[in-house]
Each structure stands twice: as structure tokens, then as C-alpha cells.
Amino acid sequence: MGSSMGSGANKVRWIDMAKFVAMAAVMVDHTNGILYHRGSIAQASYFSVSLFILLMGITSYWSFERNFGKLKRKVLSGIIRIGGAYLLATAVYLITAYRSFDFLTYLTASIQFNASGPFYYVLLYIQLLLAAPVLFYALKLAVYKYSACKIKMIVICAIYGGGTLLVGSLTTRFTNILGIYGGGGKVLGGTYLFLLFVGMVLAENYKSLKGGLPGLMAFTALVACWWRFESCDCFALDARLPFGAGYNPPSVSSITMAFLVAGTVFNLGSVLERFRIGRKAAGAWAWLGRHTLYMFLYHRYFLDFWLGKLPIINGNIWVKRISYMAAMVLGSIAVEYAVGWAKAKFLGCKGLVAEMAEQSNPEH
């Protein structure tokens, strides 16, 4: 018997768990040559951003449903949230690198999204966030119009999916934004657009999905088999297809692995929810997944500027691996809490000043 994970906190929990899996894969990718040297390990991590965008499609769809008449405000708030965090992170990286602040350098780095390698993701996210309402309305219209005939709805969704894949393929091959790396430098994120739409389709049909031990076993086996195939193929299949090289923006290999990992975490989450200790483990795992924005922005800060300078943790390889990963995760979370504390202090002082000004205003 499979248990539904389509309601309440459990629905969000496996999503957050999957976000941390994607973030862990990002960190594994970026520590290639530092914590390990096997190409097959790096190959196993390349699904990371594809999984992030698939999950973005799911959560965006749910969020838009809850805020149906406020989509513009929702998109704008999302851009402000990630944009503000990004601009601060850019300043932190540049000040640490140059031990000074030059506004022209800061402005150039901010526009080119290159103060740190992963920052391309910010532009990718913003582009997809702007495209998301169009895909949402198109999918909602199809659901409303063809809800009585599932075959027609499936055909329409397939046409939409094919359209996003075609657009993504064309923008992957024929567009360039300021030479920015990966999907950030492609109009509408290249083939990431397809993953965003598929995530929305999954969100619309979420209540019909069931997770459990059989699904966990099947998806785990598929992940292992696909990893083995990718390690042998090394994107040779993707090179023969018109969807990009397979890494960033993704082609068949990375897209497939993102689906398989998502399915594995979905089923694992369902299994863990059945046991008290499992629910506690899932809760802790999901808590980490709720902090992935700052992990994405700051993990390279600790990796590039600080961890290599600590000889104590650069001896035994397993001590090094555990220390590096813990520092990138916990250090980034610490930065997030510090920023939150500073914002609360600033806004609190700002509110107090505004209140004092209002009280001293002779017009009141």
C-alpha cells in the first residue's frame, strides 16, 4: 500500500528534502579535484540544477494557485528576495577577494553574474520566474477546458511540453546573454524551461501520485543504472541530440537523472513519514533544504577563501570531506541567520524612526 503525500506539511517536506539533495550534488560537483578525483562521482552530481528547476516548477504552481489574483506581486517578491540576497553576496565575495570595495567592479560583476561561478543561477531563476505565470495560465486553461476529457488534456499538455522543449532547444543553441555561464546565459534558461513546465504538470496531477517502498526500490535501482550509463556514456548521447551538450543547460542525461532522483526522494519521504524516527529524520533533512538559497550563494565563499587555509582539516581525507561539507552547509546557514538578524535590526530601527517622525510631525 502506498501512502499519499499530497497534503499539509508532508507535501512540502519531501520537496525541501529534494532541494537539499540537489544542493549536496552542487557541492559535490564543486569539490571535484579537492575532495575526490573520480569522474564517475562528478558525473553523478550533474543533475543538481535540473532538479532545482523541476522542484521550482512544482512549488511555483502551488504558490500561484494560492495567490491566483496576485501573480505579479508574487513574481516581483521572488525577484526581490533572490536579487537582494545575490547583490549582498556579490559584495561579500568582491570585498573578500580584493580587500576593498570598488563600485565599478561591483556593478560589472553584478551585471555579468560572475563574482562567483554559481551566480549564473540567479539570472536563470529570474528568467524562469518571469516565464512561470505564462506557463501556469496556459496549463490552467487546458485543465479548465479539457478536464472532462483526460485524453485531450494529455494531448494538449504534450503539445505544450513539446513547445517548451523546442523553444528551450532553440534558445540553448542560438542565444547568448553577456556570455554568462550555463542556463543563465540563455534566453528563458534554454532547456530548463521544459523542466519548469514539467514540474508544473506534476504539481497539477500531484494528488494522483502515490509513494511507498516499491517505488523507492524501483527508483533507487533506476538511479543506479542511469548513473552507470552516464559514467560510461559521458554525454555522448546528448551530443547527438539538438538539446544542448547535456550538462548546463541540460539535455536528456541530466533531465532524466533529475526525474529519477526526484522520484527516489518522493518515495523515500513517503516511507519515512510512516515511522516516528523517520518523520524526525525527514524533518531535519527538510530543515536543511529550506536554506538552500544561501547555501548556493555562499558555499563557494567558504570553499574558495577559507577552507584551504586550515591545515588541521586538510590531512585525513575523510576528516577533510566531512569538515568541508559541514562548513559549507553550516557556514552558509550562519550567514543567512546573520543577514536575517541585521535586517530585523535595521527594519526595527527604521520603524522606530518613522514612528518618532510621525509623532513629531506638527500636522498630526
Side-chain angles (χ1 to χ4, degrees):
M1 293 273 303
S3 63
S4 174
M5 293 187 64
S7 64
N10 295 349
K11 178 169 72 173
V12 178
R13 183 172 288 175
W14 86 265
I15 293 287
D16 289 333
M17 291 166 61
K19 285 180 180 178
F20 185 68
V21 170
M23 188 64 239
V26 169
M27 292 187 292
V28 169
D29 179 17
H30 293 167
T31 53
N32 186 6
I34 301 173
L35 301 183
Y36 66 92
H37 298 276
R38 289 179 58 187
S40 60
I41 296 176
Q43 187 77 41
S45 69
Y46 293 158
F47 69 88
S48 56
V49 178
S50 297
L51 179 55
F52 268 128
I53 301 305
L54 181 66
L55 299 172
M56 177 187 176
I58 297 173
T59 56
S60 295
Y61 192 84
W62 289 336
S63 178
F64 290 166
E65 279 190 319
R66 293 193 302 269
N67 301 274
F68 196 82
K70 304 175 182 177
L71 263 60
K72 288 183 180 179
R73 184 184 303 176
K74 196 68 181 175
V75 170
L76 182 60
S77 65
I79 292 174
I80 291 174
R81 176 175 177 265
I82 194 171
Y86 161 70
L87 291 174
L88 175 61
T90 297
V92 170
Y93 275 78
L94 293 179
I95 290 171
T96 304
Y98 297 108
R99 301 182 183 277
S100 63
F101 181 80
D102 179 81
F103 182 73
L104 181 59
T105 301
Y106 174 73
L107 183 63
T108 302
S110 298
I111 293 172
Q112 295 182 341
F113 294 84
N114 63 359
S116 181
F119 285 1
Y120 77 90
Y121 178 80
V122 176
L123 183 57
L124 169 63
Y125 182 90
I126 290 173
Q127 290 190 76
L128 292 177
L129 195 57
L130 291 171
V134 177
L135 299 180
F136 172 76
Y137 279 127
L139 184 54
K140 270 297 180 186
L141 180 61
V143 171
Y144 174 78
K145 193 172 182 179
Y146 300 106
S147 58
C149 183
K150 289 198 171 183
I151 294 178
K152 287 185 178 179
M153 191 168 68
I154 291 171
V155 170
I156 293 298
C157 287
I159 292 172
Y160 286 167
T164 59
L165 187 59
L166 176 61
V167 170
S169 174
L170 292 174
T171 58
T172 294
R173 290 185 292 164
F174 302 117
T175 66
N176 175 45
I177 302 175
L178 299 175
I180 295 169
Y181 173 74
K186 305 298 180 182
V187 173
L188 298 177
T191 48
Y192 284 116
L193 184 69
F194 171 71
L195 275 165
L196 180 72
F197 177 74
V198 173
M200 290 187 168
V201 173
L202 291 175
E204 169 60 34
N205 296 278
Y206 190 80
K207 291 181 180 179
S208 64
L209 301 178
K210 304 292 182 180
L213 185 59
L216 175 60
M217 294 173 64
F219 273 98
T220 302
L222 288 171
V223 166
C225 291
W226 194 255
W227 176 28
R228 179 62 179 169
F229 166 75
E230 283 188 327
S231 299
C232 297
D233 185 69
C234 297
F235 295 127
L237 170 64
D238 303 89
R240 295 192 288 269
L241 299 173
F243 308 125
Y247 179 41
N248 197 334
S251 186
V252 172
S253 293
S254 297
I255 288 174
T256 301
M257 183 61 90
F259 282 124
L260 296 178
V261 173
T264 302
V265 179
F266 170 78
N267 283 279
L268 177 59
S270 179
V271 172
L272 291 176
E273 291 296 335
R274 299 176 180 180
F275 308 99
R276 183 178 178 182
I277 190 171
R279 287 192 293 273
K280 289 184 177 180
W285 187 346
W287 179 83
L288 291 170
R290 290 193 289 273
H291 299 276
T292 50
L293 171 59
Y294 275 76
M295 288 184 205
F296 204 101
L297 291 174
Y298 286 97
H299 73 279
R300 287 297 298 257
Y301 179 74
F302 295 97
L303 180 64
D304 294 342
F305 293 113
W306 304 110
L307 290 173
K309 298 178 180 180
L310 301 176
I312 297 176
I313 64 173
N314 285 284
N316 182 276
I317 186 59
W318 280 106
V319 172
K320 183 177 180 180
R321 286 168 178 166
I322 294 171
S323 300
Y324 270 55
M325 289 296 181
M328 288 187 287
V329 170
L330 299 178
S332 300
I333 293 175
V335 172
E336 181 178 1
Y337 276 105
V339 171
W341 176 85
K343 285 170 62 177
K345 284 290 185 181
F346 171 76
L347 293 176
C349 292
K350 187 176 179 181
L352 179 60
V353 170
E355 184 180 347
M356 292 173 63
E358 184 177 357
Q359 290 174 356
S360 63
N361 192 329
E363 294 182 2
H364 293 279

